[in-house]
Amino acid sequence: MKIKYTLLALAASTALLASCQDAKLSSKSDRAYIAQTATQAGRIGSITLGEDGASIDLNVRLSDVQTGDQSYTLELSQEALDQYNKRNKTSYTLLPAAQVTIPGSEVVIKAGSVFSDPLTVKLKPLTTEQSKSGKKYAVAFRLTPKGGSLPVVEGADTYVYGIKTVTVTTAPILGTYRGQYYKAKAVGLPVVELPRFTVEMRVNMNGFRRNNQALFGSFHSGSEIYMRFGDANPPYNYLNIKFGAGGQIDRTFDGAQPNTWYHIALVYDGAQARLYVNGALITTTDKPAGRVFTLAETLHIAGSGMTWFVNSCMFSELRIWNVVRTPEQLKDNEYVVDPSTPGLLHYWRMDEGQGREFANSVKGMPPLKVMDGYDKDQTPVWVSNVRSDGQGTTRVP
């Protein structure tokens, strides 16, 4: 399996938890702070880390001009990242020190100035192992005064840069492709009760010519989780989700487009079921309220048969959880997730690039196997250059 990775900027949409520190600066002079914080605590920035690495320029600023030089140490800080993770309920992993070069770490603000010269921090790229781990990496810095220099502003003495992994990988084509039908089936899943759950996947259909094109099916006695494009009435480019016993989301996400990647997530919290597409809430229903679902021993993907699944669909990143994933978690982990994340029951990346089995990234759990409508082994066609930034393959060849 060959996977290439690039690192793009993490959108600075993460909420700022602590209040602005401007009041402290206005009431207390003679303080220093990391200029990139803009005197706001809990800040997170972004960094683009390519194959050749990257660099960050950091500055220290004073609230007032001083008559003497002021010296500070700026260091990589696990403690600063731990604090950020705790306050924001995130799980960033600190980029190892061996991949971070801070020249000298000392920053000096000359007498008569309020700004230091930039301290250029150099970052080495992630290793293949780091990229494939699904972990979210970051670098966090802490500022401390050196000698008799001015004290720092609490909260504005730390700063975090987040790094987001974007994958370039492969994906299988399921459904009907060039006259051959392909489905995927997992057998031997532990039968578990799900008082709450999340099911998510990435899919790309090349059309919606018929109803009942089933993406996901788990069928247990009295318990059904069934996701498909199209029900009885055309046009069929909408999602229909069935919960069994008469409960279903009848028609939602109207207007799905062919040759377009969608991240679909069904989330049930015991009271309401919510459907998210590309991280946006599409609809909510309380039809299954109070029910405890059961994950069946057999799982069906693209399993409605050649008569019904007449289009082709590229699949990627199929996951089943026994927890409620938040909108933020869904959006921030659309393309990859750490297999050790609590609550993850099954995780098929579907990125092997060859063969007929999709390995389960959760240790000890069964793979998905590709077969035809008669349960005979089939090897699907794989497509390459499937990019999570949307710049790669979007059309079934």
Side-chain angles (χ1 to χ4, degrees):
M1 175 178 60
K2 294 183 178 180
I3 301 177
K4 298 180 181 179
Y5 293 85
T6 35
L7 298 172
L8 300 182
L10 174 66
S13 59
T14 305
L16 305 179
L17 292 185
S19 61
C20 181
Q21 298 294 324
D22 287 336
K24 288 190 176 184
L25 284 180
S26 62
S27 61
K28 295 182 180 180
S29 59
D30 298 336
R31 293 290 188 274
Y33 60 96
I34 299 174
Q36 282 70 22
T37 65
T39 70
Q40 291 179 320
R43 292 294 299 271
I44 185 169
S46 60
I47 181 65
T48 300
L49 186 57
E51 293 180 355
D52 297 325
S55 62
I56 304 170
D57 285 342
L58 292 168
N59 302 83
V60 178
R61 184 173 181 178
L62 299 177
S63 58
D64 306 278
V65 173
Q66 301 297 310
T67 57
D69 291 353
Q70 304 295 311
S71 298
Y72 297 88
T73 299
L74 196 62
E75 296 178 311
L76 194 67
S77 174
Q78 180 68 60
E79 181 184 13
L81 186 59
D82 290 343
Q83 292 171 353
Y84 181 89
N85 281 335
K86 182 177 180 180
R87 292 170 182 171
N88 289 273
K89 297 181 180 180
T90 52
S91 56
Y92 285 107
T93 297
L94 191 69
L95 193 66
Q99 292 169 259
V100 183
T101 301
I102 306 177
S105 76
E106 183 178 359
V107 183
V108 177
I109 304 175
K110 297 293 185 181
S113 178
V114 294
F115 266 107
S116 72
D117 290 334
L119 181 71
T120 300
V121 178
K122 294 184 178 181
L123 308 180
K124 294 180 180 179
L126 296 189
T127 65
T128 300
E129 182 179 357
Q130 288 170 331
S131 298
K132 290 171 61 177
S133 71
K135 294 180 179 179
K136 302 293 184 180
Y137 284 89
V139 285
F141 301 96
R142 181 177 295 280
L143 180 70
T144 54
K146 190 174 182 180
S149 296
L150 296 178
V152 296
V153 174
E154 183 181 354
D157 59 339
T158 62
Y159 196 63
V160 176
Y161 283 94
I163 299 170
K164 186 176 182 179
T165 302
V166 177
T167 65
V168 182
T169 185
T170 57
I173 301 174
L174 301 181
T176 300
Y177 182 67
R178 297 182 178 178
Q180 176 64 52
Y181 170 63
Y182 304 87
K183 67 180 180 182
K185 190 174 177 181
V187 179
L189 278 66
V191 177
V192 295
E193 291 190 342
L194 297 174
R196 61 193 62 82
F197 66 80
T198 300
V199 174
E200 58 179 324
M201 70 194 80
R202 296 184 70 233
V203 297
N204 183 322
M205 297 280 291
N206 73 347
F208 305 91
R209 292 193 290 113
R210 185 149 193 188
N211 62 325
N212 198 36
Q213 299 201 80
L215 302 176
F216 179 95
S218 172
F219 309 99
H220 192 270
S221 177
S223 177
E224 178 179 327
I225 306 172
Y226 186 48
M227 304 170 66
R228 63 184 177 180
F229 274 111
D231 194 359
N233 300 313
Y236 304 121
N237 58 342
Y238 61 89
L239 280 168
N240 170 243
I241 299 172
K242 301 180 69 177
F243 303 108
Q248 66 177 9
I249 301 177
D250 302 304
R251 187 182 185 113
T252 186
F253 187 47
D254 268 326
Q257 297 297 309
N259 308 312
T260 303
W261 280 101
Y262 292 110
H263 177 260
I264 297 169
L266 176 64
V267 180
Y268 175 63
D269 64 5
Q272 289 185 323
R274 297 179 175 87
L275 176 69
Y276 295 86
V277 176
N278 295 339
L281 178 63
I282 301 300
T283 192
T284 300
T285 179
D286 60 2
K287 288 183 179 179
R291 294 181 58 182
V292 175
F293 289 82
T294 302
L295 184 65
E297 186 268 347
T298 301
L299 181 68
H300 304 268
I301 306 301
S304 48
M306 188 173 186
T307 301
W308 298 98
F309 211 122
V310 297
N311 284 104
S312 304
C313 184
M314 294 183 286
F315 277 83
S316 182
E317 293 292 315
L318 173 62
R319 308 170 199 145
I320 304 174
W321 306 76
N322 65 2
V323 296
V324 173
R325 295 287 280 176
T326 67
E328 294 78 15
Q329 289 172 328
L330 293 173
K331 196 165 187 178
D332 196 41
N333 298 275
E334 178 177 338
Y335 307 107
V336 66
V337 71
D338 184 346
S340 65
T341 305
L344 185 58
L345 297 178
H346 301 283
Y347 180 14
W348 297 277
R349 288 175 169 166
M350 307 174 84
D351 63 354
E352 282 77 5
Q354 61 182 359
R356 60 172 292 265
E357 287 195 11
F358 313 139
N360 197 324
S361 295
V362 176
K363 187 176 181 180
M365 293 295 104
L368 280 163
K369 297 182 179 181
V370 180
M371 52 192 68
D372 65 10
Y374 301 97
D375 286 358
K376 293 182 179 179
D377 295 353
Q378 290 291 332
T379 300
V381 174
W382 292 82
V383 295
S384 60
N385 195 35
V386 176
R387 297 175 59 93
S388 55
D389 60 4
Q391 300 302 308
T393 302
T394 58
R395 184 180 296 272
V396 173

